[in-house]
Amino acid sequence: MKNPIALMGAMDEEVKLLLDEMDNTRSRKAAGIVYTEGRLLGQDVVVCRSGVGKVNAAATAQILVSEFHVQALIFTGVAGALHPQLEIGDIVISSESLQHDMDASPLGFAPGVIPFQEEFCFPADNRLIAKAKAACESERVDFRIGRILSGDRFVADRNEVRRLRDEFDGLCTEMEGAAVAQVCRMNGLPHVIIRSMSDKANGEAPGSFADFSITASARSYAIVVGMLEHWDDLVTK
């Protein structure tokens, strides 16, 4: 197997469709996470479910780099919309991501800034962004490209939505992406985060998440599949 493409999600429903469509699979466990290698649409891939939260996501991403030597990482799954024009099922493709709950402001650092580190907002790979955009257009899915916010809490308050949007200019919020992006940047690994909106991160979010997370996961799966179908075009450019 050549260097595989990493396909990563936080929850079972975010990776189930990928696992169901894979051929020639074999699995092994590292740090409690099951990694399944195989073929999908003619590409060598490794698929895994990290679990929820930034620590789980970061540990999983580093193992993908260190033990599986992946060539790129696509994080797929659901998120809560912050932008008022995003609807449930719409796609956000990361241009960059940051941790909204990183706060060392008593030390004089702006919220979101990681103290004593040059970079705190982690850009996605431009070629992967372009392929995700093309897949969205092919699927005729409404999408936006922009900043994704990550934090270790489920946002379900309208005032918090407004604060995150105004303070960090984020399109959506979730609980893993910026940690994955940071690990990828530290290792020089191309990445992109693809999130389908399962809720509007407001007072109705818990119910919306339960109702629409499977549907939203299927939408993000379709975009990942679209990217894999044209992967060889990507790597030769």
Side-chain angles (χ1 to χ4, degrees):
M1 177 183 285
K2 63 183 180 182
N3 297 76
I5 304 159
L7 306 176
M8 179 177 170
M11 301 183 299
D12 286 331
E13 52 265 42
E14 294 173 334
V15 298
K16 182 181 184 303
L17 293 174
L18 295 168
L19 292 169
D20 288 346
E21 295 300 318
M22 289 174 64
D23 298 317
N24 304 320
T25 60
R26 61 183 183 276
S27 298
R28 61 186 172 103
K29 185 178 286 189
I33 304 299
V34 176
Y35 298 82
T36 300
E37 299 173 273
R39 299 275 292 176
L40 181 61
L41 295 170
Q43 302 297 333
D44 293 322
V45 300
V46 54
V47 177
C48 59
R49 177 187 66 82
S50 66
V52 173
K54 293 186 297 179
V55 173
N56 282 329
T60 302
Q62 186 59 54
I63 289 170
L64 286 167
V65 172
S66 300
E67 297 196 20
F68 292 89
H69 307 291
V70 296
Q71 60 175 285
L73 191 154
I74 302 172
F75 195 105
T76 177
V78 301
L82 297 175
H83 194 285
Q85 294 181 4
L86 281 169
E87 300 295 336
I88 291 173
D90 289 354
I91 295 289
V92 172
I93 302 166
S94 67
S95 60
E96 58 188 3
S97 56
L98 65 79
Q99 301 175 59
H100 67 75
D101 60 350
M102 173 62 68
D103 188 358
S105 54
L107 299 177
F109 297 93
V113 172
I114 302 173
F116 316 116
Q117 183 167 310
E118 291 184 3
E119 192 173 44
F120 65 93
C121 192
F122 304 102
D125 181 78
N126 286 330
R127 294 179 303 166
L128 295 179
I129 293 171
K131 280 301 177 187
K133 177 177 181 288
C136 286
E137 291 172 340
S138 178
E139 291 290 323
R140 299 183 179 180
V141 173
D142 290 331
F143 72 96
R144 289 177 179 268
I145 301 171
R147 178 179 290 176
I148 291 177
L149 308 183
S150 303
D152 280 323
R153 65 177 182 270
F154 186 91
V155 176
D157 178 81
R158 288 182 175 84
N159 292 329
E160 181 71 355
V161 168
R162 188 178 301 110
R163 184 188 72 81
L164 292 176
R165 188 173 66 241
D166 293 346
E167 187 168 3
F168 296 108
D169 193 28
L171 291 182
C172 66
T173 181
E174 35 88 304
M175 301 177 72
E176 298 86 23
V180 171
Q182 182 175 349
V183 170
C184 288
R185 290 287 290 178
M186 292 168 71
N187 288 277
L189 180 70
H191 84 279
V192 70
I193 304 164
I194 299 169
R195 292 290 195 177
S196 180
M197 301 304 100
S198 61
D199 60 84
K200 292 203 167 188
N202 57 20
E204 299 175 1
S208 296
F209 179 85
D211 290 339
F212 295 107
S213 60
I214 294 177
T215 302
S217 295
R219 181 68 59 86
S220 58
Y221 160 81
I223 304 309
V224 172
V225 165
M227 295 177 69
L228 292 179
E229 287 176 336
H230 300 282
W231 191 263
D232 291 335
D233 297 337
L234 169 68
V235 298
T236 56
K237 290 183 179 179

